[in-house]
């Protein structure tokens, strides 16, 4: 009988009992969610974009500012309204008699003496007031300094004491602004078009009005502006980059030698009194010339005047040169009416507010044109309601000086 085959089977092993331990069970770690990582990444990207936009905005403002300066440098007022006199050629090394000097000392930064080699200029009869000096005498009159001219010709320039600086003496009064953002409006090319200049004077202020030195009836116009509470500057013509643009009579040209620059400045600065300083009319070429701007700043320093760089060129060295000579100086921020267009003027006025809000102060330059005058008349009450304060340009200057000195 056959044996039944049987399958060999192995005995089943018993599972070992789990060992007891005192270690507490820890909750399983949660995997970080994608939402958190996404939010963190989004915040980083947003911050980076904000920084890029901020830098881009500043660069865009700089580019826009340079573009406005170039455009302003190409626009000339109606010189037919001017009545310029020839630059006088004065006797070498003269000084005014005491009687004549006394009558002129009240004038803003009056030049006591001047020499000239300007070709074709006629010499006025100065025999009543100008004594013939000793050939070796180059001693300046009392209260004056010597600026050397070309070929040994010296120029005696009246100096002022630290408490009698014209930029302080003739500054328009302004209220205590506290920490409010301030805006200074400067109207250039004033004086030629007397009707529009008078309408500018009627604007609520104080604003700063800069008069061209070859306009008619200058002192009467200036007196009216100061009586209305405005501040006054002299708008000094300087050579633009384009030879096809006329900067007007007596403009300072980059081709002039030192003596001619001093002669022309002397004529312009003696046309009226009561101004706090000078800003350039055009001048993209001249203000980029360090040697010529040094001569300008020597005169500004001697006369106690401030200088506002209209910044008609990104290459202007006016502000930096003023700093080297200790001349109080500022630069403009915005041109209001680079385009004589109501919509664009409104856009520029909004930019002024933004700059003032960001920097604490803004300087804007405009011109006595119908659209500009009307826009300012409506805008000035609006910005005052928003908390901005309208101030003369010297108020911004004082603020900048305080921020430097602490």
């Amino acid at each position: 009988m056959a044996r039944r085959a049987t399958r060999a089977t192995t005995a089943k092993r018993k599972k070992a009992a789990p060992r007891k331990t005192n270690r507490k069970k820890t909750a399983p770690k949660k995997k970080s969610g994608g939402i958190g990582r996404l939010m963190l990444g989004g915040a980083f990207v947003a911050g980076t974009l904000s920084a890029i936009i901020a830098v881009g905005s500043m660069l865009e403002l700089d580019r826009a500012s340079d573009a406005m300066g170039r455009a302003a440098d190409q626009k000339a007022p109606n010189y037919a309204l001017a009545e310029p006199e020839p630059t006088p050629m004065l006797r070498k090394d003269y000084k005014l008699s005491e009687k004549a000097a006394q009558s002129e000392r009240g004038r803003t930064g009056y030049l006591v003496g001047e020499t000239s080699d300007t070709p074709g200029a006629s010499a006025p009869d100065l025999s009543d007031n100008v004594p013939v000096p000793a050939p070796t005498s180059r001693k300046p009159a009392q209260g004056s300094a010597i600026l050397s001219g070309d070929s040994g010709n010296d120029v005696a320039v009246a100096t002022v004491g630290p408490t009698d600086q014209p930029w302080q003496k003739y500054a328009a009064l302004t209220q205590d602004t506290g920490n409010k953002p301030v805006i200074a409006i400067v109207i250039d090319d004033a004086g030629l078009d007397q009707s529009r200049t008078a309408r500018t004077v009627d604007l609520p202020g104080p604003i700063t009005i800069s008069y061209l030195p070859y306009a008619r009836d200058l002192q009467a116009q200036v007196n009216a502006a100061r009586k209305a509470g405005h501040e006054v500057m002299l708008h000094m013509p300087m050579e633009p980059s384009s030879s096809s643009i006329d900067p007007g009579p007596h403009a300072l040209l980059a081709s002039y030698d030192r003596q001619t620059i001093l002669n022309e400045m002397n004529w312009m600065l003696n046309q009226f009194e009561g101004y706090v300083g000078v800003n350039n009319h055009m001048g993209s070429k001249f203000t980029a010339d360090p040697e010529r701007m040094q001569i300008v700043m020597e005169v500004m320093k001697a006369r106690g005047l401030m200088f506002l760089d209209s910044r008609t060129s990104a290459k202007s060295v006016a502000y930096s040169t003023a700093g080297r000579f200790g001349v109080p100086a500022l630069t403009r921020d915005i041109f209001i009416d680079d385009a004589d267009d109501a919509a664009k003027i409104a856009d520029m006025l909004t930019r002024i507010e933004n700059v003032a809000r960001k920097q604490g102060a803004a300087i804007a330059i405009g011109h006595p044109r119908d659209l500009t005058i009307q826009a300012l008349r409506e805008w000035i009450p609006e910005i005052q309601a928003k908390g901005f304060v309208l101030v003369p340009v010297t108020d911004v200057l004082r603020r900048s000086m305080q921020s430097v000195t602490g």
Side-chain angles (χ1 to χ4, degrees), residues 45-353:
V45 172
T48 303
L49 285 174
S50 297
I52 293 172
I53 291 170
V55 172
S57 297
M58 292 303 296
L59 291 173
E60 183 61 31
L61 281 175
D62 286 342
R63 284 193 292 269
S65 181
D66 293 341
M68 287 186 285
R70 287 192 298 272
D73 198 55
Q74 307 299 311
K75 294 182 179 178
N78 184 7
Y79 297 129
L81 298 173
E83 195 173 33
E85 301 173 8
T87 305
M89 183 175 69
L90 306 180
R91 185 180 301 171
K92 297 179 185 296
D93 301 324
Y94 85 91
K95 66 177 181 178
L96 291 178
S97 66
E98 184 62 24
K99 180 179 178 181
Q102 287 290 349
S103 66
E104 295 289 356
R105 276 180 186 148
R107 296 176 67 84
T108 306
Y110 178 71
L111 279 181
V112 175
E114 181 61 83
T115 61
S116 174
D117 296 318
T118 305
S122 58
D125 182 7
L126 300 173
S127 57
D128 293 336
N129 293 331
V130 184
V132 178
T136 57
S137 174
R138 292 187 183 273
K139 185 177 180 181
Q142 185 176 4
S144 65
I146 287 289
L147 295 184
S148 61
D150 294 325
S151 305
N153 300 326
D154 294 336
V155 180
V157 182
T159 57
V160 292
T163 59
D164 199 30
Q165 304 283 314
W167 78 264
Q168 296 171 315
K169 179 180 179 181
Y170 296 116
L173 297 177
T174 185
Q175 59 181 300
D176 182 10
T177 58
N179 294 322
K180 294 180 179 179
V182 300
I183 295 173
I185 300 296
V186 181
I187 300 298
D188 282 353
D189 295 355
L192 286 184
D193 188 329
Q194 293 193 29
S195 175
R196 288 184 173 86
T197 299
R199 288 169 55 200
T200 300
V201 171
D202 285 340
L203 288 172
I207 62 175
T208 302
I209 306 176
S210 193
Y211 289 82
L212 287 162
Y214 38 72
R216 298 185 179 110
D217 308 317
L218 265 176
Q219 195 60 61
Q221 293 192 69
V222 166
N223 291 346
R226 297 190 66 222
K227 186 176 180 180
H230 301 307
E231 195 162 81
V232 171
M233 297 189 76
L234 189 147
H235 199 35
M236 185 169 287
M238 299 181 184
E239 184 177 7
S241 297
S242 174
S243 59
S244 64
I245 305 299
D246 181 9
H250 298 281
L252 303 182
L253 306 182
S255 60
Y256 283 170
D257 59 18
R258 177 185 179 87
Q259 193 69 55
T260 307
I261 292 172
L262 290 173
N263 288 345
E264 295 292 7
M265 288 188 70
N266 181 33
W267 184 90
M268 289 186 279
L269 292 168
N270 286 336
Q271 293 310 295
F272 64 97
E273 62 181 346
Y275 53 90
V276 297
V278 167
N279 74 321
N280 53 293
H281 170 57
M282 300 188 181
S284 54
K285 182 175 182 178
F286 192 90
T287 59
D289 189 317
E291 184 179 351
R292 267 91 189 145
M293 286 310 299
Q294 175 175 321
I295 300 170
V296 171
M297 294 309 165
E298 287 178 20
V299 177
M300 295 295 102
K301 178 67 173 178
R303 289 173 174 259
L305 298 168
M306 65 163 288
F307 190 89
L308 170 63
D309 186 359
S310 301
R311 202 163 173 257
T312 55
S313 168
K315 298 179 180 179
S316 173
V317 297
Y319 183 78
S320 59
T321 307
R324 289 194 356 251
F325 281 83
V327 174
L330 294 166
T331 61
R332 64 98 188 145
D333 295 299
I334 297 289
F335 270 118
I336 299 172
D337 48 10
D338 173 47
D340 194 22
D341 176 270
K344 291 182 179 180
I345 289 173
D347 180 55
M348 292 299 106
L349 295 177
T350 300
R351 286 196 187 194
I352 295 168
E353 295 178 34

